[in-house]
Amino acid sequence: MRKVFIVGVIVVGVVVVGLTATGWWLLRGSLPQLDGRASLAAAGPRAEVAIERDADGIVTVRGADHGDVAYGLGYAHAQDRFFQMDLARRLAAGELAALLGASVSEQDRRARIFRLRAVARRVIADATPVQRAWIEAYAAGVNAGLQSLNIRPWEYLLLRQKPEAWRAEDSVLVIHSMWWFLQYQALIDDIPRHEIASRIEQRVAAASRDEADSTQAATVLQFLFPRGDEWDAPNFQTLAEQTAANGGAPYAAPAVPTPDLLDLRDVKMRSVKSGVEAKRAAAMSADGWREQGLPGSNAWAVAGQHTRSGAALIAGDMHLGLRVPTTWYRARLQVATEPSGSNGVTLPGLPGIAAGSNGRIAWSFTNSYGDWGDTEPVDCDPVKNIYVTAEGEQPFRLYRESMLIAAGDPEVLVVRDSPLGVVMRIDPPAPGSKDLSTCWLARWVITQPGATTLAALELQQVADVDAALAIAPEVGIPHQNFVVGDRGGRIAWTLIGRIPRVRSASMPAPATAWLTAGETPVIREPEIGRIWSANSRHVEGPSEAVLGNEKATGGMHYDKGARQRQIRDRLLALDRPATVEDMLAIQLDDRALMVERWQRLLLATLDEDAVRDHAGRTELRRLVSEWTGRAAVDSVSYRYAREFRERTRAAVWKMITTTLAAGEGSSAYPLFEGSLWRLVSEQPPHLLAADYTDWRGLLLQQADAVIADARQACSALDRCTWGAHNTTAVRHPLSNALGPLARFLDMPALPVAGDLNVPRVAGPTFGASERFAVSPGREAEAYMQLPGGASGHPLSPFYRLGFKDWVAGRPKPLLPGPAAHTLVLPAAKAVASAPSSAP
């Protein structure tokens, strides 16, 4: 028996070693070739292309023209990031389940209703010949890079799938995936806002018996959905315009609704019912009270008269979900016929620099929260396939979308479309009400012909601010605040992305109805010599009207102004010519100016009566009083003041939505912050649910919840630092499937300074996806930070490089270092076409 046991152990050991060796061999087989001369299995570039990598794996692509450089970048993207590109195209097209299985089929259903693959094909068909050649050269490079791997990318081995070849339309879908991340949530958030608005109008009409009087309802809506807050810091062309704004007075929060308009005292908080209402409330999980970060960014420009170099100085940090590999891929693109190369970040799947410098201009973006989509309710009957308008019953147009599901049966999705929008949700009839259901129809600019274009090619070649502003209205990407500066020291802002000329609720805009240069809002060489942007109310007056100002009373999804005000004040406080080091200091500013008043409120709430005979409150008061004023990793006081604010915000919003029986399970919009502060400061009795005797009771309940959370999370209150909560959780999308092996894919868990409402936006899974500052023509002085490395392969030496520098805020040079590896792609020759997938 002993011999049998020993032999069994040896056999098992040999099998384990064999399997490990095989897995290791397969994994290493998908590492890319970095040096030498590539052997292309398909048509190559028109002239020889060199792909250089420095010691950090940062790529420089050198080619004879833009098409060849696009080919080389596509080749490098496929070598390092093909799986990331594949997920992006599939997300937008609603084709994730074909790769990942039924667990993501619901996401596919949400995306597929917009039929974006058909939209992408139309974009390619409508592109100019030059643009089409550019995007097709990139696609050819992607497929050549994929074919160059000895073994298909490791993710497909794990999934037991084969990668599909890249098509030109897939690059358009990558643009659409960014559109999804930046704008889709606004469509979802419109639904509870409609519900709340409808309920308020009903209550006011019933109370006043005057259905025609909408003024009173608007008063309540402006309080719940303000258009700004006291931190707003919009930009102006001149100082005179700034002085005249709002009548020369700072923004004032809307008036608190009177009891005849909104009264909560007769309402007792009730448990959420089952059905649709419960589904809406499911978002309010154990951590549902926590504030979520808005996809956004910081960006600003300093004119040459205020910089040390005399050139414009551009800084940007785009805020997105943090993941492995990083959203962006650093690159230098060098066309032989152009004197200077382009440096910055690229988006895998697309053939150009997304943000950075071309040596003549530098640019960055922040998300523009305008009226780029609408969600409206209509009465409908899904069985009869009709919806009801003022003109009577109308039929839906039906499309049947076939959805493939890995390891499952295909599914046919019925898409209902109409001139008013596509059906994105159907609510059944309320009990005891009419028989008709409610169909929520979504209209989104992304689906309109001409909304997406490939004009970014021309943008990357412009020589100055004027040329950039002229081309910006033609660039069809998700709408952004475009901050740009040139070597001559000039700076400007405009909206980039195609802006509809006509907005009609009854019919889609025609393909040609887009604003052109001279019609879009522009701030060019502002008198103050600086431009700042951080997703809050960016401009006022006619410039804001272009965003869809008819919805400005509802905030248009703007973020709070705290970040933008803090950035503006830091820029204006510089008492010497600005440098890139000054820009980094602003990007890393973690001063908690907005949360500071909540710290004072918490201390005032924990007065002598509150802490008497209450050890937990006594300790909380002591810790909160040790205020550091920063979202620093070692700060306990910041964590408690912040959580007290978040809990209060969630509790007050829940009182309101429960009273209205509308919008339950939703979160307060960011700009509710100003109205919330008025409530906790003025403490009107009629805006307090019957569960609370007074506002002090509500605030003490939130303080006690903070204590309970801290004891559960940290065992002792003094151990709950901000860094203990704000610890990075930057993970690979497949790591959940690997159990203990996930640590080989994920970035290390490290405490990080910063938060959502300070310029240094940093959280466990959300934050600055890059940071950079550059003056065009002086790229050698510039820096760039990314929260991860160039390669998406865990065995690559470049996989984790840069992450710890990003956490610590240490700058890395924008320009790549000397070439450590060089791969040459030979010029085109007669070869067989590439097969459809890697081995």
Side-chain angles (χ1 to χ4, degrees):
M1 290 298 294
R2 180 180 296 178
K3 289 180 180 179
V4 171
F5 175 76
I6 294 173
V7 170
V9 169
I10 293 173
V11 170
V12 170
V14 169
V15 170
V16 169
V17 170
L19 290 174
T20 302
T22 300
W24 183 263
W25 176 81
L26 289 172
L27 194 58
R28 288 198 61 82
S30 59
L31 282 168
Q33 177 186 356
L34 303 183
D35 293 288
R37 193 172 183 85
S39 177
L40 301 180
R46 285 172 289 185
E48 190 171 272
V49 171
I51 300 176
E52 300 172 357
R53 287 178 171 87
D54 70 3
D56 289 341
I58 309 305
V59 159
T60 297
V61 181
R62 303 184 188 276
D65 56 30
H66 286 279
D68 283 353
V69 169
Y71 184 100
L73 182 62
Y75 194 99
H77 279 167
Q79 284 185 305
D80 290 333
R81 301 285 190 90
F82 187 82
F83 183 66
Q84 174 187 0
M85 298 160 57
D86 195 9
L87 292 185
R89 66 175 170 177
R90 289 175 180 274
L91 172 82
E95 298 169 358
L96 284 170
L99 180 68
L100 302 177
S103 62
V104 294
S105 58
E106 183 56 36
Q107 169 59 33
D108 279 357
R109 294 184 195 101
R110 287 193 290 264
R112 189 64 75 91
I113 65 171
F114 297 104
R115 307 179 70 237
L116 293 180
R117 185 168 286 283
V119 174
R121 289 171 179 157
R122 188 170 60 212
V123 172
I124 296 299
D126 292 342
T128 67
V130 172
Q131 293 168 351
R132 196 177 304 116
W134 179 55
I135 208 76
E136 288 175 350
Y138 175 80
V142 170
N143 290 324
L146 181 62
Q147 290 301 314
S148 73
L149 302 176
N150 293 325
I151 301 292
R152 58 188 145 173
W154 66 271
E155 298 94 339
Y156 297 91
L157 295 173
L158 186 65
L159 295 169
R160 292 183 293 178
Q161 296 263 22
K162 287 190 176 183
E164 295 182 2
W166 195 261
R167 290 164 283 189
E169 69 197 53
D170 293 331
S171 289
V172 180
L173 286 169
V174 171
I175 301 175
H176 289 161
S177 73
M178 190 58 70
W179 219 312
W180 184 274
F181 287 128
L182 297 176
Q183 293 187 8
Y184 177 74
Q185 188 59 43
L187 294 175
I188 300 299
D189 290 343
D190 262 355
I191 295 177
R193 179 159 64 178
H194 273 292
E195 293 174 337
I196 290 169
S198 176
R199 193 58 52 86
I200 288 173
E201 289 164 358
Q202 293 170 12
R203 290 167 66 94
V204 170
S208 65
R209 294 183 173 84
D210 183 2
E211 295 184 7
D213 183 9
S214 60
T215 304
Q216 292 181 318
T219 299
V220 181
L221 290 174
Q222 287 168 12
F223 183 78
L224 299 179
F225 306 106
R227 69 180 295 261
D229 63 21
E230 58 267 51
W231 289 287
D232 275 357
N235 291 263
F236 297 92
Q237 182 67 51
T238 67
L239 291 172
E241 291 174 356
Q242 179 177 333
T243 301
N246 294 316
Y251 177 86
V256 174
T258 54
D260 58 315
L261 298 180
L262 186 62
D263 192 343
L264 312 188
R265 284 311 286 167
D266 293 334
V267 176
K268 193 168 182 65
M269 304 295 285
R270 57 184 174 81
S271 58
V272 178
K273 297 177 182 178
S274 59
V276 173
E277 193 177 329
K279 291 180 180 179
R280 295 181 201 167
M284 297 299 285
S285 59
D287 280 341
W289 49 273
R290 296 191 184 278
E291 186 177 13
Q292 301 299 311
L294 287 176
S297 303
N298 299 328
W300 58 88
V302 183
Q305 68 264 35
H306 299 292
T307 69
R308 181 180 295 176
S309 68
L313 184 51
I314 302 296
D317 48 292
M318 295 183 273
H319 308 151
L320 297 167
L322 302 177
R323 62 191 188 192
V324 179
T326 60
T327 298
W328 307 106
Y329 182 92
R330 288 185 56 186
R332 175 179 175 84
L333 307 181
Q334 182 67 66
V335 176
T337 57
E338 296 183 356
S340 57
S342 296
N343 292 273
V345 292
T346 68
L347 183 61
L350 291 169
I353 298 294
S357 171
N358 70 1
R360 293 160 291 178
I361 68 165
W363 68 96
S364 191
F365 302 108
T366 71
N367 197 33
S368 172
Y369 282 95
D371 180 21
W372 312 125
D374 294 297
T375 309
E376 302 284 349
V378 297
D379 291 337
C380 66
D381 187 331
V383 176
K384 295 181 180 179
N385 194 46
I386 56 97
Y387 62 101
V388 181
T389 70
E391 289 73 34
E393 295 183 352
Q394 306 291 333
F396 284 115
R397 294 191 298 261
L398 294 182
Y399 300 95
R400 286 174 171 82
E401 294 282 312
S402 178
M403 292 174 46
L404 300 179
I405 300 175
D409 295 328
E411 176 182 325
V412 175
L413 178 69
V414 176
V415 178
R416 294 179 171 88
D417 199 4
S418 76
L420 299 179
V422 64
V423 176
M424 67 182 302
R425 195 178 93 182
I426 302 175
D427 292 346
S433 69
K434 57 190 177 184
D435 295 332
L436 292 175
S437 300
T438 298
C439 287
W440 291 93
L441 304 182
R443 288 171 41 83
W444 194 4
V445 173
I446 189 175
T447 63
Q448 296 299 321
T452 308
T453 71
L454 301 177
L457 168 64
E458 289 86 350
L459 178 65
Q460 295 181 70
Q461 301 176 55
V462 302
D464 56 30
V465 160
D466 290 338
L469 295 177
I471 196 66
E474 306 299 323
V475 178
I477 61 173
H479 305 84
Q480 301 286 293
N481 293 302
F482 178 52
V483 178
V484 61
D486 62 24
R487 295 181 70 162
R490 296 185 300 163
I491 61 173
W493 162 86
T494 190
L495 283 174
I496 199 168
R498 311 215 71 194
I499 302 172
R501 183 187 303 278
V502 178
R503 300 186 189 209
S504 170
S506 60
M507 60 188 302
T512 57
W514 306 103
L515 298 184
T516 59
E519 298 176 313
T520 55
V522 170
I523 294 178
R524 188 194 317 251
E525 299 184 71
E527 184 178 352
I528 204 167
R530 288 91 162 173
I531 291 170
W532 48 84
S533 180
N535 312 117
S536 61
R537 197 158 56 94
H538 188 82
V539 288
E540 284 193 351
S543 292
E544 187 184 21
V546 176
L547 293 164
N549 201 38
E550 70 277 4
K551 284 197 170 183
T553 54
M556 295 199 300
H557 305 278
Y558 292 144
D559 200 358
K560 299 176 290 298
R563 276 188 293 122
Q564 189 153 308
R565 167 67 66 90
Q566 214 161 315
I567 291 167
R568 184 202 68 176
D569 291 350
R570 286 288 297 266
L571 286 172
L572 298 182
L574 287 173
D575 57 2
R576 63 183 185 283
T579 65
V580 292
E581 290 80 11
D582 296 322
M583 304 301 98
L584 182 61
I586 297 174
Q587 288 175 334
L588 299 180
D589 182 4
D590 60 7
R591 292 174 302 140
L593 302 186
M594 194 197 80
V595 175
E596 186 170 0
R597 66 185 185 183
W598 288 92
Q599 182 260 355
R600 296 195 299 268
L601 177 63
L602 179 53
L603 284 180
T605 302
L606 297 172
D607 57 17
E608 294 302 322
D609 288 340
V611 303
R612 186 177 295 114
D613 301 323
H614 200 301
R617 292 178 182 174
T618 300
E619 186 175 9
L620 179 62
R621 177 179 174 82
R622 176 183 66 81
L623 294 170
V624 172
S625 66
E626 297 171 356
W627 180 244
T628 64
R630 292 183 176 275
V633 294
D634 59 351
S635 176
V636 175
S637 58
Y638 175 76
R639 175 169 178 169
Y640 291 144
R642 178 193 193 272
E643 294 191 0
F644 174 68
R645 168 192 164 269
E646 285 190 306
R647 282 198 167 276
T648 302
R649 176 175 175 268
V652 171
W653 187 252
K654 186 176 181 181
M655 283 195 306
I656 295 168
T657 57
T658 300
T659 298
L660 297 173
E664 293 181 275
S666 67
S667 296
Y669 284 40
L671 285 171
F672 181 64
E673 178 72 20
S675 298
L676 173 64
W677 187 252
R678 289 200 65 172
L679 290 176
V680 298
S681 300
E682 300 175 21
Q683 302 191 356
H686 66 283
L687 292 180
L688 194 68
D691 301 66
Y692 307 103
T693 56
D694 52 27
W695 279 90
R696 170 184 168 81
L698 182 147
L699 295 174
L700 278 174
Q701 185 179 97
Q702 309 320 310
D704 290 340
V706 168
I707 295 170
D709 285 346
R711 285 175 173 163
Q712 182 176 7
C714 308
S715 72
L717 267 64
D718 58 359
R719 297 178 185 172
C720 267
T721 62
W722 174 236
H725 169 76
N726 208 44
T727 299
T728 59
V730 182
R731 310 196 68 189
H732 191 282
L734 297 182
S735 66
N736 283 338
L738 295 180
L741 295 178
R743 65 189 183 91
F744 294 107
L745 295 183
D746 300 337
M747 293 296 124
L750 300 173
V752 59
D755 199 5
L756 302 178
N757 297 306
V758 301
R760 185 174 187 171
V761 174
T765 60
F766 179 84
S769 59
E770 48 74 30
R771 298 187 193 104
F772 77 92
V774 60
S775 289
R778 305 181 74 91
E779 286 76 17
E781 301 170 4
Y783 65 84
M784 172 71 74
Q785 294 179 340
L786 264 69
S791 174
H793 198 299
L795 295 186
S796 169
F798 313 131
Y799 186 70
R800 300 178 188 276
L801 291 181
F803 179 74
K804 291 184 178 179
D805 291 320
W806 177 87
V807 171
R810 290 188 293 266
K812 302 278 285 185
L814 172 68
L815 292 181
H821 305 276
T822 301
L823 178 66
V824 176
L825 308 181
K829 56 185 178 181
V831 294
S833 299
S836 62
S837 63

